[in-house]
Amino acid sequence: MSIWIIFKLLGSLALLMFGMKSMSEALQKMAGPQLRHVLGAMTTNRFTGMLTGMLVTASVQSSTATTVMTVSFVNAGLLTLAQAISVIMGANIGTTLTAWIMSAGMSFDITSAVYPAFFLGIILIYLKKYRYIGDFLFGLSFLLLGLGTLRVTGTEMNLGENQTLLNFFASFDPTSFWTTLIFLLLGGIMTFCVQSSAAVMAITMILCSSGALPIYQGIALVMGENIGTTVTSNLAALSANTQARRAALSHMFFNFFGVFWILFIFRLFVDAVCGLVGYDVTMTKEAAGVQAFMANAAKLSFVLAAFHTCFNVVNTFILIWFVPQIERLVCWVIKPKRVDEEEDFRLHFITAGFMKTPELSVLEAQKEIQSFSERMQRMFDMVRELLTLSSSSNNKKDNKEAEFNKLYSRIEKYEGISDNMELEIANYLDSVSNAHLSDDTKGKIRAMLREISELESIGDACFNMARTISRKYNGKEDHFNEKQYEHIYQMMELTMQSLAEMNKLMRGRREGYDVNRTFNIEHEINNFRNQLKSQNINDVNNHEYTYAVGTIYMDLINECEKLGDYVVNVVEARMGIR
């Protein structure tokens, strides 16, 4: 075998993998937001969830993308884990469409058809309005060109005539259970190493279609591919949140269970699939002749695709009735970490490395920013509580001192958390923005970067207020009088209303949000601040309190007003107002 043929084989596999990736990403750009809405609306029970997972995966040609959306919806509380499991089952069926596309590419010479598709694709890309359709055509053309080149390369390699290869496969007893296990393990390892079940499926189709690899060992490799993909996702999910790890484990359980039961009826099931496609399992080259044997072997790519589909359909039909039991099992195996959610810095929705696809990673970031926003509201509530503790006693040695210091330390920790969250989310969005994204998604990322910057400023404002309260509590200045406390609480109440409106927007959809409510509260805060500013000058002149106390008092009022401005900036960023 020449070095040129080896490079041709590797290059065509790379072309195949790149084509799959490009085609999937283009489809996600075209339909990503709509698919998210479909996924949320059509999963009312396990059966509609399964159908939705199947249709969405067939639409975007990526079970990974479907799983990402599903896990994100579970984290958001829009889907239960049970519904997510049914969607993942459907995704396993939907992804078998890829095998049928590949079997068609292996069986027919379609390379001549890809060149007009390339030409049409580049025209659509330059039209910009239809560039995602052009990206899809390019991805599909690369996929089909890779398959066509693989087919030709497989023929040039004469694998069916390679005695060394034939002797290697012949050394395994086709009737042995251990042979099936060995090839199953080999398929899993190959998929794990290559990180592409499509590439391993293509190699299997070449080996089987050339007559080098017997059908039973080929199908064992396909079964191994199902295991290999789930091992990859579970290893990646180790650093993810609890629900993501449970979803990945349910995916692994689904495929492992399927492999387990099919091993008991392996040959019967394979023979049934072969009969369905019209492939003669008993035909030999010596008895039927080379031409008839190769014509029969040409059907093997369809046998592999048909097996992949039948396996997943039957497995889903069996397990769809046991979704609640699977949910209990994965919840029992993976228990939530016992940490204080409020005090834990770790990001909860951005799943580092777990089944990421650029176009749909935006949903992960949105949920993380929502969590960030809610955390800032809790931080401001702690500042209000700190003010109450500071006013509870004039005696510094009071029992409240320990409680005051503890609460101040929590606020200080929250300020550090807000800094870290801004940095981590910004880094994540930066990595997502390096991918090829739609204009709509690029706009969302710019808005989210603005949101996290303003949210971090809210955290700074809260900490500034806490430091001001602490300085006054530990200093020698007189306490605020009752009227000052009343005004500060009124201002803080308005600020809390503003934060509540912001989080209402973050939790919901911007189409149904009335932005005027936020603007009205902001005007009220500004007017109240101006009123208190004038009144403070008069009160100091009338010697109702000292200038030093008046300065600290206005520091708190002004910081609330600044915080209100940051809230308005967050709302404007989310609403797309410049």
Side-chain angles (χ1 to χ4, degrees):
M1 189 186 298
S2 70
I3 191 72
W4 169 246
I5 290 182
I6 293 173
F7 276 124
K8 197 174 178 183
L9 175 68
L10 294 174
S12 54
L13 280 172
L15 202 59
L16 165 72
M17 292 164 68
F18 178 75
M20 278 294 300
K21 181 175 180 290
S22 301
M23 185 175 71
S24 176
E25 287 182 358
L27 285 164
Q28 289 173 46
K29 288 173 192 174
M30 286 191 284
Q34 288 78 12
L35 288 174
R36 287 200 291 268
H37 298 153
V38 168
L39 199 60
M42 289 181 60
T43 50
T44 51
N45 59 58
R46 69 184 82 171
F47 298 103
T48 56
M50 183 266 292
L51 288 171
T52 304
M54 183 175 69
L55 293 172
V56 169
T57 305
S59 299
V60 298
Q61 280 297 288
S62 174
S63 58
T64 296
T66 307
T67 309
V68 165
M69 287 190 288
T70 305
V71 172
S72 300
F73 273 52
V74 173
N75 284 332
L78 301 175
L79 286 181
T80 64
L81 183 60
Q83 289 171 322
I85 292 169
S86 65
V87 171
I88 290 169
M89 287 180 179
N92 267 28
I93 298 175
T95 197
T96 61
L97 180 62
T98 305
W100 285 103
I101 294 172
M102 293 174 67
S103 64
M106 286 289 182
S107 303
F108 308 107
D109 183 13
I110 49 178
T111 51
S112 57
V114 303
Y115 299 108
F118 276 130
F119 179 69
L120 179 60
I122 199 67
I123 292 173
L124 292 173
I125 287 171
Y126 277 105
L127 286 175
K128 288 194 175 181
K129 184 179 179 182
Y130 302 103
R131 66 182 178 277
Y132 303 135
I133 300 174
D135 287 340
F136 167 74
L137 281 176
F138 257 72
L140 181 61
S141 299
F142 277 128
L143 168 65
L144 297 176
L145 184 62
L147 286 170
T149 311
L150 269 176
R151 177 174 172 270
V152 173
T153 307
T155 305
E156 290 176 359
M157 292 168 72
N158 293 318
L159 296 174
E161 305 296 327
N162 189 318
Q163 202 56 46
T164 305
L165 192 66
L166 290 172
N167 290 339
F168 171 74
F169 288 130
S171 65
F172 294 95
D173 180 5
T175 61
S176 171
F177 178 74
W178 294 107
T179 298
T180 304
L181 285 182
I182 289 168
F183 277 84
L184 190 150
L185 183 63
L186 184 63
I189 293 170
M190 286 171 66
T191 305
F192 178 73
C193 294
V194 179
Q195 294 286 296
S196 172
S197 58
V200 179
M201 175 68 85
I203 293 169
T204 308
M205 285 182 175
I206 285 181
L207 289 170
C208 287
S209 298
S210 65
L213 180 65
I215 184 60
Y216 295 109
Q217 282 94 313
I219 283 181
L221 283 176
V222 173
M223 289 163 58
E225 291 160 24
N226 280 323
I227 300 296
T229 53
T230 62
V231 171
T232 303
S233 62
N234 273 272
L235 286 176
L238 289 176
S239 61
N241 53 63
T242 302
Q243 294 293 61
R245 287 184 289 125
R246 285 172 175 171
L249 181 63
S250 67
H251 190 200
M252 176 178 270
F253 173 81
F254 176 86
N255 283 5
F256 264 97
F257 178 82
V259 168
F260 176 75
W261 68 258
I262 210 166
L263 285 174
F264 289 98
I265 56 167
F266 181 65
R267 297 183 76 84
L268 287 172
F269 196 89
V270 173
D271 290 345
V273 172
C274 289
L276 197 66
V277 176
Y279 172 76
D280 188 353
V281 185
T282 60
M283 184 182 290
T284 60
K285 190 184 297 184
E286 293 76 15
V290 175
Q291 191 172 357
F293 177 79
M294 294 309 294
N296 190 47
K299 299 176 184 177
L300 280 171
S301 59
F302 287 106
V303 172
L304 291 170
F307 172 82
H308 199 207
T309 302
C310 291
F311 166 73
N312 282 294
V313 167
V314 174
N315 199 31
T316 299
F317 180 77
I318 293 170
L319 288 178
I320 195 76
W321 308 100
F322 299 99
V323 168
Q325 288 76 13
I326 296 172
E327 180 186 22
R328 285 199 291 271
L329 175 66
V330 296
C331 289
W332 177 75
V333 173
I334 299 178
K335 294 180 172 59
K337 293 179 181 178
R338 295 180 180 177
V339 294
D340 185 344
E341 292 286 319
E342 292 187 11
E343 303 296 331
D344 183 25
F345 158 62
R346 186 178 64 84
L347 299 178
H348 297 287
F349 299 100
I350 291 176
T351 52
F354 174 54
M355 300 186 292
K356 287 191 291 188
T357 52
E359 197 70 24
L360 299 172
S361 297
V362 173
L363 184 64
E364 303 279 344
Q366 282 177 341
K367 295 309 300 176
E368 201 64 70
I369 293 172
Q370 180 189 321
S371 173
F372 190 2
S373 177
E374 289 170 349
R375 198 187 290 260
M376 291 304 96
Q377 185 174 349
R378 290 197 298 270
M379 184 179 180
F380 183 74
D381 200 40
M382 284 189 277
V383 172
R384 291 204 300 181
E385 188 180 343
L386 191 74
L387 180 67
T388 303
L389 286 173
S390 72
S391 66
S392 62
S393 174
N394 291 339
N395 184 2
K396 191 180 172 185
K397 295 182 180 179
D398 189 83
N399 292 332
K400 295 284 183 182
E401 184 178 356
E403 192 176 344
F404 180 93
N405 291 334
K406 183 180 177 182
L407 185 57
Y408 178 78
S409 296
R410 281 190 73 196
I411 295 170
E412 190 173 24
K413 186 174 181 179
Y414 262 57
E415 203 278 330
I417 288 173
S418 71
D419 291 342
N420 287 328
M421 287 190 78
E422 181 196 20
L423 186 62
E424 291 294 322
I425 297 171
N427 288 339
Y428 179 78
L429 290 172
D430 184 55
S431 66
V432 172
S433 65
N434 289 331
H436 298 290
L437 301 169
S438 64
D439 289 340
D440 180 51
T441 304
K442 286 177 183 175
K444 285 180 181 176
I445 288 177
R446 285 193 296 271
M448 286 191 282
L449 286 169
R450 183 183 168 194
E451 286 168 24
I452 59 174
S453 174
E454 299 297 339
L455 286 169
E456 193 276 332
S457 296
I458 290 174
D460 288 343
C462 289
F463 186 52
N464 288 340
M465 280 189 272
R467 281 193 301 187
T468 301
I469 294 168
S470 178
R471 188 172 74 247
K472 181 185 171 304
Y473 180 73
N474 294 309
K476 297 178 181 178
E477 292 88 358
D478 293 334
H479 280 256
F480 297 136
N481 60 35
E482 287 186 13
K483 189 168 67 173
Q484 283 177 307
Y485 274 119
E486 184 182 338
H487 291 156
I488 294 171
Y489 283 128
Q490 285 176 355
M491 178 61 91
M492 284 188 166
E493 180 58 35
L494 285 171
T495 309
M496 181 57 85
Q497 287 176 24
S498 183
L499 286 164
E501 283 295 321
M502 176 185 74
N503 279 310
K504 184 178 178 182
L505 170 62
M506 289 295 190
R507 285 190 293 267
R509 296 184 63 179
R510 62 184 185 181
E511 289 82 3
Y513 181 76
D514 182 8
V515 73
N516 289 322
R517 284 188 295 221
T518 295
F519 292 150
N520 290 338
I521 295 171
E522 169 61 9
H523 290 320
E524 201 172 339
I525 289 173
N526 289 341
N527 292 336
F528 193 42
R529 189 275 312 265
N530 294 336
Q531 176 190 330
L532 294 179
K533 189 176 180 180
S534 300
Q535 189 175 340
N536 177 62
I537 294 170
N538 293 331
D539 289 345
V540 170
N541 288 335
N542 293 332
H543 303 292
E544 293 194 21
Y545 45 79
T546 64
Y547 180 83
V549 170
T551 302
I552 295 173
Y553 165 64
M554 284 311 300
D555 281 347
L556 291 173
I557 298 297
N558 287 326
E559 210 64 57
C560 282
E561 192 276 331
K562 285 182 190 175
L563 199 155
D565 289 340
Y566 299 141
V567 168
V568 169
N569 292 340
V570 172
V571 170
E572 286 181 343
R574 178 51 67 96
M575 295 295 291
I577 302 171
R578 294 186 182 277

